[in-house]
Amino acid sequence: MAEELMLDLRNIHKSFFIGTPNEFEVLHGINFTVNKGEFVSIVGQSGSGKSTLMNIIGALDRPTEGEYTLDGVDIEKAKDHELSALRNKKIGFVFQTYNLIARTNALKNVELPMMYAGMSRGERTDRARMLLEQVGMKDRMHHNPDELSGGQKQRVAIARAMANDPAIILADEPTGALDSATGRLIMDIFHKLHEEQGKTIVLITHSPELSQETERIITLKDGTIMGETAGNWPAIKAKEGM
Amino acid sequence: MLFTENILVALAGLKANIMRSLLTMLGIIIGIASVIAIMTVGNSITLIVNSTMQELGANNLEMGVSQKSQDSGESENGMNFGTGYVRDMTDDDLITKDMLKSFKEKYPDDVKYMLISESVGQGGQVSRGSKNANVKITGYNADYVKFSDLDMVAGRQFLNQDYEMGKKVCMVSDKLVERVFKGDSDAALGQMIEVKTGGDYYDYYIVGVYEYVANQFSFGASDNPTTDVYIPLETARIANHTQNKGYSYLTLVTSINTDNDTFANTVRDYFNVNYYSRNDAYEVMVISMASMMDSMNTMISMIQLALSVIAGISLVVGGIGVMNIMLVSITERTKEIGTRKALGATNSSIRLQFITESVVICIIGGIIGIIFGILLGTFAVKLMGYEAAVSIQSIIIAVAFSMAIGVFFGYYPANKAAKLNPIDALRYE
Ligand SMILES: Nc1ncnc2c1ncn2[C@@H]1O[C@H](COP(=O)(O)OP(=O)(O)O)[C@@H](O)[C@H]1O
Ligand SMILES: [Mg+2]
């Protein structure tokens, strides 16, 4: 099977300018690719630059240097409104802090990306219901975020990430704020999306244990890739008989 | 589609911070309320003034003797203030009976009535035993009585000789008869009444009783209203010792086909060319009620506008308050803005969201202001004893204006939100 590239990062550098002339380089030349349908984890200690990297992958930020192609789109050349469209249609974000919109119920939160995509009200409500059902949140869809537990919020956030059927899901420490049982539930949802829908997923985590659950592990240390190893997912999958 | 969504988001935000929202709206509420109140009061006064003038006769020409204006040119509305004072008015400057007679002969088709009246004393009282009634004595010429079109309950109106000889006869109201003659009009006829006004007493024989019609603007039905004791003009002039003088002021009722603005000039020219050309200080001035009404209305509108502009300043203050709260709200919701951008919101959709929010605040404030303004204005007009007339136009303008304030003062904060860098916004703590 010819592998198709989803992400292609070449020599990515990222510096922050905390008051000139103080230039502070966080990423020092990152190179890696992710194929379509892969479940990859990026693991590293806190402060190693994982979130900075994810922001670049998610087209929320531009690299200071280097080339980055997402699903065939050259990010460097894209204009701001093109990046908006890209985030809207091709990327599904899952944040550690859920980032649900306050005072807006689960259903409306899931509808939001579809609304920005210009989908009609009926269509997007139907799809939002379906997505919430997939993550087991159908009975809570009219609840506002402040009426939901952390795990429930994260499930809504995953449903929202799936709203426009994105090419890739980017999850930055999605279980970081959850207890292990709830974290397990969230991981199971990612596996389901990966196995059943063939979604490309990039999971960012500081936990080597969690990273073992993926197909490939990219280890980040102080803004440099230390190496790539295969994850244990195929073995776990076989054992659990999924 | 995004539009209704934005309104719902804005309303949810307002609901979450009701106190803050209300305080923010306060400037708008006060501003709009005062403008609406001013407009309501102004509007009502205009209507009242107009209908009063209409009642007095919009087809009337008021003419009188006034000082000669130095420029002697056209005086638009006859209002010349303090120009060229020469001397006090004397009896020689007045309009005489002869002048009026030849004038009417010259323009028989245009002049329907020449109304002349003269009151005797201030308000007074008619007493009979323990009973009394409030009255006002006014002498009217024959034209005036005809023009008044009284409904007679008993007796007759004045005869020619009553007018000519200044007989001591009168017509009283059925109200007076009710109070003083136990309502027996026939018994009242031929009786003499004594009217006390100031320190003076005047006696008149009752020849007729007319039906009293309450003035629509005299509020509160008093059981002792001041009614007119009609006497012939000449009788009043004898009482006032003015019987040999001319008139300084009278009203011309013109026929329906007469163009009053033109005829006003004709009348003025007639008198001034024929009788006042050699007068060193005085001339005849003629004002048409219609043009007086116009200038009155213009004046009220000007006052209204000036007051509204002052009230409008609080709208600007209110707008700045809205802008301030929008800036606070955007800072508070920086992370939300970042999230929306991550989910694909474009700059313009973020801008639209916050402009909508600011417009919603202003429109709600505007509507509350309109309600308060109408209540306030109505209350004020009622206090003056009249019916309030709310101007629909001012309500539409108020809504449009609050919307404009929302857009104007919401634009800067909204634009600031739209331009936020997505990652900076997401990372904001
Ligand atoms: N906007 C920024 N301005 C300055 N420094 C930043 C910014 N974003 C991240 N950093 C720095 O970059 C480093 C990596 O941060 P981050 O990517 O969040 O690490 P991780 O997600 O792996 O914990 C940290 O030292 C952090 O202080
Ligand atoms: Mg991080």
Side-chain angles (χ1 to χ4, degrees), chain A residues 50-51 96 172-173:
Chain A
K50 305 184 296 291
S51 295
Q96 179 176 355
D172 188 359
E173 312 249 19

Side-chain angles (χ1 to χ4, degrees), chain B residues 241-413:
Chain B
H241 308 292
T242 53
Q243 68 266 41
N244 297 320
K245 294 186 187 172
Y247 309 105
S248 64
Y249 176 87
L250 64 135
T251 303
L252 298 180
V253 179
T254 56
S255 86
I256 305 169
N257 302 323
T258 303
D259 172 17
N260 268 357
D261 283 337
T262 326
F263 192 59
N265 289 336
T266 312
V267 176
R268 195 187 55 211
D269 291 346
Y270 175 86
F271 281 94
N272 289 342
V273 169
N274 290 324
Y275 305 110
Y276 286 84
S277 55
R278 259 164 306 176
N279 192 310
D280 59 332
Y282 288 89
E283 65 184 354
V284 163
M285 168 194 81
V286 183
I287 308 167
S288 89
M289 272 303 238
S291 74
M292 212 153 104
M293 228 149 98
D294 280 351
S295 49
M296 196 83 158
N297 287 345
T298 317
M299 205 168 78
I300 293 172
S301 318
M302 299 276 277
I303 294 171
Q304 221 172 328
L305 186 71
L307 289 175
S308 297
V309 166
I310 295 168
I313 292 172
S314 80
L315 281 179
V316 175
V317 177
I320 293 169
V322 170
M323 180 151 114
N324 181 41
I325 216 69
M326 288 306 296
L327 287 170
V328 170
S329 162
I330 280 158
T331 308
E332 279 175 358
R333 288 155 70 188
T334 303
K335 205 177 171 90
E336 176 192 320
I337 294 165
T339 305
R340 286 177 183 273
K341 289 199 159 188
L343 298 178
T346 56
N347 289 1
S348 53
S349 59
I350 297 286
R351 191 182 299 121
L352 187 66
Q353 180 192 336
F354 285 100
I355 289 182
T356 307
E357 187 164 321
S358 139
V359 169
V360 166
I361 292 177
C362 290
I363 288 188
I364 292 178
I367 289 170
I368 298 176
I370 288 170
I371 293 168
F372 273 118
I374 290 175
L375 290 178
L376 202 72
T378 309
F379 180 71
V381 176
K382 283 258 159 72
L383 218 59
M384 296 189 279
Y386 302 119
E387 278 306 311
V390 177
S391 125
I392 302 296
Q393 197 190 343
S394 69
I395 290 174
I396 294 168
I397 293 173
V399 171
F401 203 70
S402 31
M403 210 156 124
I405 291 172
V407 173
F408 185 82
F409 288 99
Y411 185 83
Y412 171 71

Side-chain angles (χ1 to χ4, degrees), chain B residues 28-62:
Chain B
I28 305 283
I29 294 175
I30 293 174
I32 295 282
S34 12
V35 172
I36 293 285
I38 291 163
M39 297 298 255
T40 304
V41 171
N43 222 37
S44 308
I45 290 179
T46 308
L47 280 182
I48 291 159
V49 166
N50 286 357
S51 71
T52 309
M53 287 191 158
Q54 209 85 50
E55 197 170 77
L56 290 177
N59 269 329
N60 294 358
L61 293 179
E62 306 294 328

